[in-house]
Amino acid sequence: RMPASAPAADGRQRASAAFSLSFLSLVFSVTAFGSSHWCEGTRKVAKPFCKGQSNGDHCIRFNSPDANNSNAVQYIWETGDDKFVERRFHAGIWYSCEEIVDEGDEKCRSFISLTPATDRGVLWLSIVAELLYIILLLTGAILMAVEMFYYSTVIDGLKINAFSAVVTVLAGLLGMVAHMMYTTVFQMTVNLGPEDWRPHTWDYGWSYGLAWASFACCMAAAVTTINKYTKTILEFKHKRKTLERSLKIKYKFPDH
């Protein structure tokens, strides 16, 4: 027979695992939400004319001895793709940044202003869903912490357990919808956004992966919580049946 403390220890382990996963999911989601590396890539930009003695690869060279003389004929050496330079950029929910090659710095713009007007509503829905996702994750983590550290009756523990499971599942669904909406908006912005922003090549960045890792941790926490709740209910039923069986035996064969 299992010792009486074994189910309780197993329950504590499951509660601890669910809380750890939920907390990890919260950290991942907050980090991803505030970063601008959901998507990364390059833009093809026409090279500026070289100034002064500059003969680098990031500007167009010409053979005129007098650069300021508008009457002089300028023979540009670069043709085709040589006339363009690739600039790296990264974009998130809030803003998009592009490197300035000569200065080694970045120029940032609001991503909301870059989004086509027809898709701006979807982006705002995505932002609201992300915020609700974070709020529900925080609520779920607090409930799991209360269940772990607040010693109450088993019935109260079950109620908290059930509520935290529902909240975490809802958070996961909201997170999934939010990430998918942002993906759709970004792809539409790539196709229909401003000409001076559209990327030449792009791919998803580390923040995007972190957002989906947050969703995976959230669903794992929900499954662990539901599993703990189900196991506790089954243990209750088993104990009740055992008690009923022992009472029947006691009434059939009373002590003399």
Side-chain angles (χ1 to χ4, degrees), residues 106-140:
E106 285 187 335
K107 176 182 71 175
C108 294
R109 290 182 281 181
S110 166
F111 183 73
I112 297 165
S113 66
L114 298 170
T115 309
T118 51
D119 297 304
R120 214 159 281 169
V122 181
L123 180 60
W124 278 112
L125 277 174
S126 171
I127 291 170
V128 170
E130 286 284 352
L131 285 169
L132 286 173
Y133 172 55
I134 290 169
I135 290 166
L136 286 174
L137 277 177
L138 180 62
T139 306

PDB file of all heavy atoms in Angstrom, residues 106-140:
ATOM      1  N   GLU A 106      20.945  53.021 -35.616  1.00  0.00           N
ATOM      2  CA  GLU A 106      19.660  52.536 -36.112  1.00  0.00           C
ATOM      3  C   GLU A 106      18.636  53.672 -36.160  1.00  0.00           C
ATOM      4  O   GLU A 106      18.674  54.577 -35.330  1.00  0.00           O
ATOM      5  CB  GLU A 106      19.112  51.420 -35.218  1.00  0.00           C
ATOM      6  CG  GLU A 106      19.802  50.097 -35.397  1.00  0.00           C
ATOM      7  CD  GLU A 106      19.107  48.985 -34.627  1.00  0.00           C
ATOM      8  OE1 GLU A 106      18.427  49.281 -33.621  1.00  0.00           O
ATOM      9  OE2 GLU A 106      19.256  47.812 -35.018  1.00  0.00           O
ATOM     10  N   LYS A 107      17.733  53.576 -37.129  1.00  0.00           N
ATOM     11  CA  LYS A 107      16.622  54.531 -37.234  1.00  0.00           C
ATOM     12  C   LYS A 107      15.340  53.730 -37.019  1.00  0.00           C
ATOM     13  O   LYS A 107      15.086  52.751 -37.718  1.00  0.00           O
ATOM     14  CB  LYS A 107      16.628  55.174 -38.626  1.00  0.00           C
ATOM     15  CG  LYS A 107      15.465  56.117 -38.881  1.00  0.00           C
ATOM     16  CD  LYS A 107      15.509  56.670 -40.313  1.00  0.00           C
ATOM     17  CE  LYS A 107      15.172  55.584 -41.320  1.00  0.00           C
ATOM     18  NZ  LYS A 107      15.096  56.091 -42.707  1.00  0.00           N
ATOM     19  N   CYS A 108      14.547  54.128 -36.029  1.00  0.00           N
ATOM     20  CA  CYS A 108      13.339  53.369 -35.675  1.00  0.00           C
ATOM     21  C   CYS A 108      12.070  54.147 -36.021  1.00  0.00           C
ATOM     22  O   CYS A 108      12.037  55.378 -35.922  1.00  0.00           O
ATOM     23  CB  CYS A 108      13.339  53.026 -34.185  1.00  0.00           C
ATOM     24  SG  CYS A 108      14.659  51.896 -33.702  1.00  0.00           S
ATOM     25  N   ARG A 109      11.044  53.391 -36.427  1.00  0.00           N
ATOM     26  CA  ARG A 109       9.727  53.965 -36.732  1.00  0.00           C
ATOM     27  C   ARG A 109       8.659  53.102 -36.078  1.00  0.00           C
ATOM     28  O   ARG A 109       8.870  51.909 -35.844  1.00  0.00           O
ATOM     29  CB  ARG A 109       9.485  53.995 -38.243  1.00  0.00           C
ATOM     30  CG  ARG A 109      10.323  54.988 -38.993  1.00  0.00           C
ATOM     31  CD  ARG A 109       9.988  54.991 -40.472  1.00  0.00           C
ATOM     32  NE  ARG A 109      10.605  53.878 -41.180  1.00  0.00           N
ATOM     33  CZ  ARG A 109      10.469  53.670 -42.483  1.00  0.00           C
ATOM     34  NH1 ARG A 109       9.702  54.469 -43.204  1.00  0.00           N
ATOM     35  NH2 ARG A 109      11.068  52.644 -43.055  1.00  0.00           N
ATOM     36  N   SER A 110       7.523  53.708 -35.800  1.00  0.00           N
ATOM     37  CA  SER A 110       6.402  52.963 -35.218  1.00  0.00           C
ATOM     38  C   SER A 110       5.880  51.953 -36.237  1.00  0.00           C
ATOM     39  O   SER A 110       5.577  52.311 -37.383  1.00  0.00           O
ATOM     40  CB  SER A 110       5.286  53.928 -34.823  1.00  0.00           C
ATOM     41  OG  SER A 110       4.090  53.218 -34.557  1.00  0.00           O
ATOM     42  N   PHE A 111       5.775  50.696 -35.829  1.00  0.00           N
ATOM     43  CA  PHE A 111       5.281  49.671 -36.751  1.00  0.00           C
ATOM     44  C   PHE A 111       3.797  49.891 -37.062  1.00  0.00           C
ATOM     45  O   PHE A 111       3.332  49.575 -38.156  1.00  0.00           O
ATOM     46  CB  PHE A 111       5.492  48.274 -36.158  1.00  0.00           C
ATOM     47  CG  PHE A 111       5.073  47.174 -37.086  1.00  0.00           C
ATOM     48  CD1 PHE A 111       5.827  46.857 -38.200  1.00  0.00           C
ATOM     49  CD2 PHE A 111       3.905  46.454 -36.862  1.00  0.00           C
ATOM     50  CE1 PHE A 111       5.435  45.840 -39.075  1.00  0.00           C
ATOM     51  CE2 PHE A 111       3.493  45.451 -37.720  1.00  0.00           C
ATOM     52  CZ  PHE A 111       4.277  45.144 -38.831  1.00  0.00           C
ATOM     53  N   ILE A 112       3.066  50.458 -36.095  1.00  0.00           N
ATOM     54  CA  ILE A 112       1.629  50.722 -36.299  1.00  0.00           C
ATOM     55  C   ILE A 112       1.424  51.701 -37.456  1.00  0.00           C
ATOM     56  O   ILE A 112       0.507  51.554 -38.254  1.00  0.00           O
ATOM     57  CB  ILE A 112       0.992  51.250 -34.998  1.00  0.00           C
ATOM     58  CG1 ILE A 112       1.092  50.192 -33.900  1.00  0.00           C
ATOM     59  CG2 ILE A 112      -0.463  51.648 -35.209  1.00  0.00           C
ATOM     60  CD1 ILE A 112       0.823  50.695 -32.504  1.00  0.00           C
ATOM     61  N   SER A 113       2.330  52.705 -37.564  1.00  0.00           N
ATOM     62  CA  SER A 113       2.212  53.692 -38.649  1.00  0.00           C
ATOM     63  C   SER A 113       2.567  53.091 -40.005  1.00  0.00           C
ATOM     64  O   SER A 113       2.148  53.595 -41.046  1.00  0.00           O
ATOM     65  CB  SER A 113       3.117  54.888 -38.362  1.00  0.00           C
ATOM     66  OG  SER A 113       4.485  54.492 -38.400  1.00  0.00           O
ATOM     67  N   LEU A 114       3.350  52.008 -40.019  1.00  0.00           N
ATOM     68  CA  LEU A 114       3.740  51.354 -41.278  1.00  0.00           C
ATOM     69  C   LEU A 114       2.651  50.413 -41.799  1.00  0.00           C
ATOM     70  O   LEU A 114       2.592  50.118 -42.991  1.00  0.00           O
ATOM     71  CB  LEU A 114       5.036  50.551 -41.080  1.00  0.00           C
ATOM     72  CG  LEU A 114       6.284  51.344 -40.685  1.00  0.00           C
ATOM     73  CD1 LEU A 114       7.404  50.390 -40.300  1.00  0.00           C
ATOM     74  CD2 LEU A 114       6.732  52.249 -41.823  1.00  0.00           C
ATOM     75  N   THR A 115       1.813  49.939 -40.882  1.00  0.00           N
ATOM     76  CA  THR A 115       0.776  48.968 -41.250  1.00  0.00           C
ATOM     77  C   THR A 115      -0.267  49.611 -42.168  1.00  0.00           C
ATOM     78  O   THR A 115      -0.681  50.737 -41.924  1.00  0.00           O
ATOM     79  CB  THR A 115       0.073  48.448 -39.971  1.00  0.00           C
ATOM     80  OG1 THR A 115       1.053  48.023 -39.041  1.00  0.00           O
ATOM     81  CG2 THR A 115      -0.839  47.287 -40.289  1.00  0.00           C
ATOM     82  N   PRO A 116      -0.717  48.912 -43.216  1.00  0.00           N
ATOM     83  CA  PRO A 116      -1.793  49.449 -44.066  1.00  0.00           C
ATOM     84  C   PRO A 116      -3.030  49.765 -43.225  1.00  0.00           C
ATOM     85  O   PRO A 116      -3.344  49.050 -42.267  1.00  0.00           O
ATOM     86  CB  PRO A 116      -2.071  48.312 -45.053  1.00  0.00           C
ATOM     87  CG  PRO A 116      -0.820  47.513 -45.076  1.00  0.00           C
ATOM     88  CD  PRO A 116      -0.216  47.623 -43.721  1.00  0.00           C
ATOM     89  N   ALA A 117      -3.734  50.830 -43.602  1.00  0.00           N
ATOM     90  CA  ALA A 117      -4.894  51.294 -42.822  1.00  0.00           C
ATOM     91  C   ALA A 117      -5.953  50.209 -42.665  1.00  0.00           C
ATOM     92  O   ALA A 117      -6.607  50.112 -41.623  1.00  0.00           O
ATOM     93  CB  ALA A 117      -5.511  52.523 -43.502  1.00  0.00           C
ATOM     94  N   THR A 118      -6.090  49.347 -43.696  1.00  0.00           N
ATOM     95  CA  THR A 118      -7.109  48.285 -43.641  1.00  0.00           C
ATOM     96  C   THR A 118      -6.767  47.209 -42.617  1.00  0.00           C
ATOM     97  O   THR A 118      -7.655  46.501 -42.144  1.00  0.00           O
ATOM     98  CB  THR A 118      -7.264  47.621 -45.025  1.00  0.00           C
ATOM     99  OG1 THR A 118      -5.971  47.237 -45.495  1.00  0.00           O
ATOM    100  CG2 THR A 118      -7.906  48.579 -46.015  1.00  0.00           C
ATOM    101  N   ASP A 119      -5.473  47.068 -42.269  1.00  0.00           N
ATOM    102  CA  ASP A 119      -5.041  46.020 -41.334  1.00  0.00           C
ATOM    103  C   ASP A 119      -4.703  46.551 -39.951  1.00  0.00           C
ATOM    104  O   ASP A 119      -4.304  45.783 -39.077  1.00  0.00           O
ATOM    105  CB  ASP A 119      -3.816  45.288 -41.900  1.00  0.00           C
ATOM    106  CG  ASP A 119      -4.127  44.572 -43.193  1.00  0.00           C
ATOM    107  OD1 ASP A 119      -5.057  43.757 -43.194  1.00  0.00           O
ATOM    108  OD2 ASP A 119      -3.453  44.836 -44.210  1.00  0.00           O
ATOM    109  N   ARG A 120      -4.847  47.874 -39.769  1.00  0.00           N
ATOM    110  CA  ARG A 120      -4.479  48.465 -38.478  1.00  0.00           C
ATOM    111  C   ARG A 120      -5.388  47.982 -37.347  1.00  0.00           C
ATOM    112  O   ARG A 120      -4.936  47.791 -36.217  1.00  0.00           O
ATOM    113  CB  ARG A 120      -4.536  49.989 -38.585  1.00  0.00           C
ATOM    114  CG  ARG A 120      -3.506  50.698 -37.751  1.00  0.00           C
ATOM    115  CD  ARG A 120      -3.241  52.092 -38.232  1.00  0.00           C
ATOM    116  NE  ARG A 120      -2.373  52.126 -39.390  1.00  0.00           N
ATOM    117  CZ  ARG A 120      -2.157  53.205 -40.126  1.00  0.00           C
ATOM    118  NH1 ARG A 120      -2.767  54.337 -39.831  1.00  0.00           N
ATOM    119  NH2 ARG A 120      -1.350  53.158 -41.166  1.00  0.00           N
ATOM    120  N   GLY A 121      -6.658  47.774 -37.668  1.00  0.00           N
ATOM    121  CA  GLY A 121      -7.594  47.261 -36.662  1.00  0.00           C
ATOM    122  C   GLY A 121      -7.205  45.871 -36.178  1.00  0.00           C
ATOM    123  O   GLY A 121      -7.300  45.568 -34.978  1.00  0.00           O
ATOM    124  N   VAL A 122      -6.740  45.019 -37.105  1.00  0.00           N
ATOM    125  CA  VAL A 122      -6.312  43.668 -36.737  1.00  0.00           C
ATOM    126  C   VAL A 122      -5.079  43.724 -35.842  1.00  0.00           C
ATOM    127  O   VAL A 122      -4.941  42.951 -34.885  1.00  0.00           O
ATOM    128  CB  VAL A 122      -6.017  42.823 -38.006  1.00  0.00           C
ATOM    129  CG1 VAL A 122      -5.582  41.406 -37.634  1.00  0.00           C
ATOM    130  CG2 VAL A 122      -7.235  42.768 -38.912  1.00  0.00           C
ATOM    131  N   LEU A 123      -4.160  44.679 -36.150  1.00  0.00           N
ATOM    132  CA  LEU A 123      -2.964  44.833 -35.313  1.00  0.00           C
ATOM    133  C   LEU A 123      -3.338  45.256 -33.901  1.00  0.00           C
ATOM    134  O   LEU A 123      -2.790  44.724 -32.923  1.00  0.00           O
ATOM    135  CB  LEU A 123      -2.013  45.852 -35.938  1.00  0.00           C
ATOM    136  CG  LEU A 123      -0.710  46.114 -35.160  1.00  0.00           C
ATOM    137  CD1 LEU A 123       0.107  44.836 -35.019  1.00  0.00           C
ATOM    138  CD2 LEU A 123       0.124  47.191 -35.831  1.00  0.00           C
ATOM    139  N   TRP A 124      -4.289  46.192 -33.766  1.00  0.00           N
ATOM    140  CA  TRP A 124      -4.728  46.619 -32.431  1.00  0.00           C
ATOM    141  C   TRP A 124      -5.403  45.459 -31.687  1.00  0.00           C
ATOM    142  O   TRP A 124      -5.220  45.307 -30.470  1.00  0.00           O
ATOM    143  CB  TRP A 124      -5.666  47.813 -32.522  1.00  0.00           C
ATOM    144  CG  TRP A 124      -4.929  49.112 -32.680  1.00  0.00           C
ATOM    145  CD1 TRP A 124      -4.905  49.924 -33.774  1.00  0.00           C
ATOM    146  CD2 TRP A 124      -4.070  49.725 -31.706  1.00  0.00           C
ATOM    147  NE1 TRP A 124      -4.099  51.010 -33.544  1.00  0.00           N
ATOM    148  CE2 TRP A 124      -3.576  50.925 -32.283  1.00  0.00           C
ATOM    149  CE3 TRP A 124      -3.682  49.393 -30.412  1.00  0.00           C
ATOM    150  CZ2 TRP A 124      -2.703  51.776 -31.603  1.00  0.00           C
ATOM    151  CZ3 TRP A 124      -2.821  50.238 -29.737  1.00  0.00           C
ATOM    152  CH2 TRP A 124      -2.342  51.416 -30.334  1.00  0.00           C
ATOM    153  N   LEU A 125      -6.161  44.645 -32.400  1.00  0.00           N
ATOM    154  CA  LEU A 125      -6.760  43.458 -31.774  1.00  0.00           C
ATOM    155  C   LEU A 125      -5.672  42.513 -31.281  1.00  0.00           C
ATOM    156  O   LEU A 125      -5.779  41.918 -30.208  1.00  0.00           O
ATOM    157  CB  LEU A 125      -7.660  42.732 -32.778  1.00  0.00           C
ATOM    158  CG  LEU A 125      -9.088  43.263 -32.940  1.00  0.00           C
ATOM    159  CD1 LEU A 125      -9.801  42.523 -34.070  1.00  0.00           C
ATOM    160  CD2 LEU A 125      -9.881  43.120 -31.648  1.00  0.00           C
ATOM    161  N   SER A 126      -4.625  42.370 -32.086  1.00  0.00           N
ATOM    162  CA  SER A 126      -3.494  41.516 -31.699  1.00  0.00           C
ATOM    163  C   SER A 126      -2.829  42.037 -30.428  1.00  0.00           C
ATOM    164  O   SER A 126      -2.492  41.267 -29.519  1.00  0.00           O
ATOM    165  CB  SER A 126      -2.480  41.463 -32.843  1.00  0.00           C
ATOM    166  OG  SER A 126      -1.288  40.835 -32.449  1.00  0.00           O
ATOM    167  N   ILE A 127      -2.655  43.368 -30.345  1.00  0.00           N
ATOM    168  CA  ILE A 127      -2.026  43.977 -29.165  1.00  0.00           C
ATOM    169  C   ILE A 127      -2.888  43.765 -27.925  1.00  0.00           C
ATOM    170  O   ILE A 127      -2.391  43.398 -26.848  1.00  0.00           O
ATOM    171  CB  ILE A 127      -1.776  45.482 -29.411  1.00  0.00           C
ATOM    172  CG1 ILE A 127      -0.678  45.666 -30.464  1.00  0.00           C
ATOM    173  CG2 ILE A 127      -1.398  46.194 -28.119  1.00  0.00           C
ATOM    174  CD1 ILE A 127      -0.517  47.089 -30.962  1.00  0.00           C
ATOM    175  N   VAL A 128      -4.209  43.978 -28.067  1.00  0.00           N
ATOM    176  CA  VAL A 128      -5.145  43.769 -26.946  1.00  0.00           C
ATOM    177  C   VAL A 128      -5.128  42.311 -26.496  1.00  0.00           C
ATOM    178  O   VAL A 128      -5.093  42.001 -25.293  1.00  0.00           O
ATOM    179  CB  VAL A 128      -6.575  44.201 -27.343  1.00  0.00           C
ATOM    180  CG1 VAL A 128      -7.592  43.765 -26.286  1.00  0.00           C
ATOM    181  CG2 VAL A 128      -6.645  45.708 -27.535  1.00  0.00           C
ATOM    182  N   ALA A 129      -5.113  41.377 -27.479  1.00  0.00           N
ATOM    183  CA  ALA A 129      -5.078  39.946 -27.157  1.00  0.00           C
ATOM    184  C   ALA A 129      -3.776  39.580 -26.446  1.00  0.00           C
ATOM    185  O   ALA A 129      -3.776  38.775 -25.502  1.00  0.00           O
ATOM    186  CB  ALA A 129      -5.235  39.120 -28.431  1.00  0.00           C
ATOM    187  N   GLU A 130      -2.657  40.169 -26.861  1.00  0.00           N
ATOM    188  CA  GLU A 130      -1.370  39.913 -26.201  1.00  0.00           C
ATOM    189  C   GLU A 130      -1.392  40.404 -24.757  1.00  0.00           C
ATOM    190  O   GLU A 130      -0.885  39.728 -23.847  1.00  0.00           O
ATOM    191  CB  GLU A 130      -0.230  40.605 -26.961  1.00  0.00           C
ATOM    192  CG  GLU A 130       0.170  39.950 -28.267  1.00  0.00           C
ATOM    193  CD  GLU A 130       0.988  38.691 -28.097  1.00  0.00           C
ATOM    194  OE1 GLU A 130       1.382  38.376 -26.965  1.00  0.00           O
ATOM    195  OE2 GLU A 130       1.228  38.013 -29.106  1.00  0.00           O
ATOM    196  N   LEU A 131      -1.973  41.587 -24.540  1.00  0.00           N
ATOM    197  CA  LEU A 131      -2.070  42.136 -23.176  1.00  0.00           C
ATOM    198  C   LEU A 131      -2.955  41.256 -22.295  1.00  0.00           C
ATOM    199  O   LEU A 131      -2.599  40.973 -21.136  1.00  0.00           O
ATOM    200  CB  LEU A 131      -2.619  43.560 -23.222  1.00  0.00           C
ATOM    201  CG  LEU A 131      -1.647  44.648 -23.690  1.00  0.00           C
ATOM    202  CD1 LEU A 131      -2.380  45.958 -23.944  1.00  0.00           C
ATOM    203  CD2 LEU A 131      -0.543  44.852 -22.658  1.00  0.00           C
ATOM    204  N   LEU A 132      -4.094  40.820 -22.828  1.00  0.00           N
ATOM    205  CA  LEU A 132      -4.979  39.921 -22.072  1.00  0.00           C
ATOM    206  C   LEU A 132      -4.292  38.591 -21.791  1.00  0.00           C
ATOM    207  O   LEU A 132      -4.466  38.012 -20.707  1.00  0.00           O
ATOM    208  CB  LEU A 132      -6.276  39.694 -22.849  1.00  0.00           C
ATOM    209  CG  LEU A 132      -7.275  40.859 -22.878  1.00  0.00           C
ATOM    210  CD1 LEU A 132      -8.423  40.548 -23.820  1.00  0.00           C
ATOM    211  CD2 LEU A 132      -7.802  41.153 -21.474  1.00  0.00           C
ATOM    212  N   TYR A 133      -3.523  38.114 -22.744  1.00  0.00           N
ATOM    213  CA  TYR A 133      -2.749  36.873 -22.584  1.00  0.00           C
ATOM    214  C   TYR A 133      -1.797  36.992 -21.390  1.00  0.00           C
ATOM    215  O   TYR A 133      -1.736  36.104 -20.524  1.00  0.00           O
ATOM    216  CB  TYR A 133      -1.984  36.619 -23.880  1.00  0.00           C
ATOM    217  CG  TYR A 133      -0.981  35.493 -23.859  1.00  0.00           C
ATOM    218  CD1 TYR A 133      -1.340  34.196 -23.481  1.00  0.00           C
ATOM    219  CD2 TYR A 133       0.344  35.710 -24.256  1.00  0.00           C
ATOM    220  CE1 TYR A 133      -0.418  33.165 -23.479  1.00  0.00           C
ATOM    221  CE2 TYR A 133       1.265  34.674 -24.267  1.00  0.00           C
ATOM    222  CZ  TYR A 133       0.889  33.412 -23.876  1.00  0.00           C
ATOM    223  OH  TYR A 133       1.808  32.379 -23.879  1.00  0.00           O
ATOM    224  N   ILE A 134      -1.083  38.121 -21.312  1.00  0.00           N
ATOM    225  CA  ILE A 134      -0.137  38.342 -20.210  1.00  0.00           C
ATOM    226  C   ILE A 134      -0.878  38.456 -18.876  1.00  0.00           C
ATOM    227  O   ILE A 134      -0.448  37.889 -17.861  1.00  0.00           O
ATOM    228  CB  ILE A 134       0.713  39.604 -20.492  1.00  0.00           C
ATOM    229  CG1 ILE A 134       1.671  39.330 -21.657  1.00  0.00           C
ATOM    230  CG2 ILE A 134       1.496  40.027 -19.258  1.00  0.00           C
ATOM    231  CD1 ILE A 134       2.367  40.569 -22.201  1.00  0.00           C
ATOM    232  N   ILE A 135      -2.012  39.183 -18.878  1.00  0.00           N
ATOM    233  CA  ILE A 135      -2.803  39.353 -17.640  1.00  0.00           C
ATOM    234  C   ILE A 135      -3.323  38.005 -17.135  1.00  0.00           C
ATOM    235  O   ILE A 135      -3.252  37.697 -15.935  1.00  0.00           O
ATOM    236  CB  ILE A 135      -3.965  40.340 -17.871  1.00  0.00           C
ATOM    237  CG1 ILE A 135      -3.427  41.761 -18.057  1.00  0.00           C
ATOM    238  CG2 ILE A 135      -4.955  40.308 -16.711  1.00  0.00           C
ATOM    239  CD1 ILE A 135      -4.436  42.738 -18.612  1.00  0.00           C
ATOM    240  N   LEU A 136      -3.839  37.177 -18.046  1.00  0.00           N
ATOM    241  CA  LEU A 136      -4.357  35.855 -17.659  1.00  0.00           C
ATOM    242  C   LEU A 136      -3.235  34.931 -17.193  1.00  0.00           C
ATOM    243  O   LEU A 136      -3.421  34.144 -16.258  1.00  0.00           O
ATOM    244  CB  LEU A 136      -5.116  35.221 -18.827  1.00  0.00           C
ATOM    245  CG  LEU A 136      -6.493  35.815 -19.141  1.00  0.00           C
ATOM    246  CD1 LEU A 136      -7.072  35.195 -20.405  1.00  0.00           C
ATOM    247  CD2 LEU A 136      -7.460  35.594 -17.981  1.00  0.00           C
ATOM    248  N   LEU A 137      -2.072  35.030 -17.841  1.00  0.00           N
ATOM    249  CA  LEU A 137      -0.919  34.232 -17.396  1.00  0.00           C
ATOM    250  C   LEU A 137      -0.517  34.619 -15.971  1.00  0.00           C
ATOM    251  O   LEU A 137      -0.230  33.745 -15.132  1.00  0.00           O
ATOM    252  CB  LEU A 137       0.277  34.450 -18.332  1.00  0.00           C
ATOM    253  CG  LEU A 137       0.330  33.631 -19.614  1.00  0.00           C
ATOM    254  CD1 LEU A 137       1.540  34.042 -20.445  1.00  0.00           C
ATOM    255  CD2 LEU A 137       0.395  32.136 -19.324  1.00  0.00           C
ATOM    256  N   LEU A 138      -0.503  35.924 -15.703  1.00  0.00           N
ATOM    257  CA  LEU A 138      -0.166  36.405 -14.360  1.00  0.00           C
ATOM    258  C   LEU A 138      -1.193  35.925 -13.340  1.00  0.00           C
ATOM    259  O   LEU A 138      -0.829  35.470 -12.243  1.00  0.00           O
ATOM    260  CB  LEU A 138      -0.097  37.935 -14.377  1.00  0.00           C
ATOM    261  CG  LEU A 138       0.255  38.617 -13.054  1.00  0.00           C
ATOM    262  CD1 LEU A 138       1.635  38.199 -12.583  1.00  0.00           C
ATOM    263  CD2 LEU A 138       0.181  40.135 -13.210  1.00  0.00           C
ATOM    264  N   THR A 139      -2.483  35.995 -13.705  1.00  0.00           N
ATOM    265  CA  THR A 139      -3.552  35.527 -12.809  1.00  0.00           C
ATOM    266  C   THR A 139      -3.403  34.040 -12.508  1.00  0.00           C
ATOM    267  O   THR A 139      -3.517  33.615 -11.350  1.00  0.00           O
ATOM    268  CB  THR A 139      -4.933  35.787 -13.456  1.00  0.00           C
ATOM    269  OG1 THR A 139      -5.037  37.162 -13.811  1.00  0.00           O
ATOM    270  CG2 THR A 139      -6.060  35.423 -12.495  1.00  0.00           C
ATOM    271  N   GLY A 140      -3.139  33.250 -13.564  1.00  0.00           N
ATOM    272  CA  GLY A 140      -2.954  31.804 -13.394  1.00  0.00           C
ATOM    273  C   GLY A 140      -1.776  31.486 -12.492  1.00  0.00           C
ATOM    274  O   GLY A 140      -1.856  30.612 -11.625  1.00  0.00           O
TER     275      GLY A 140
END
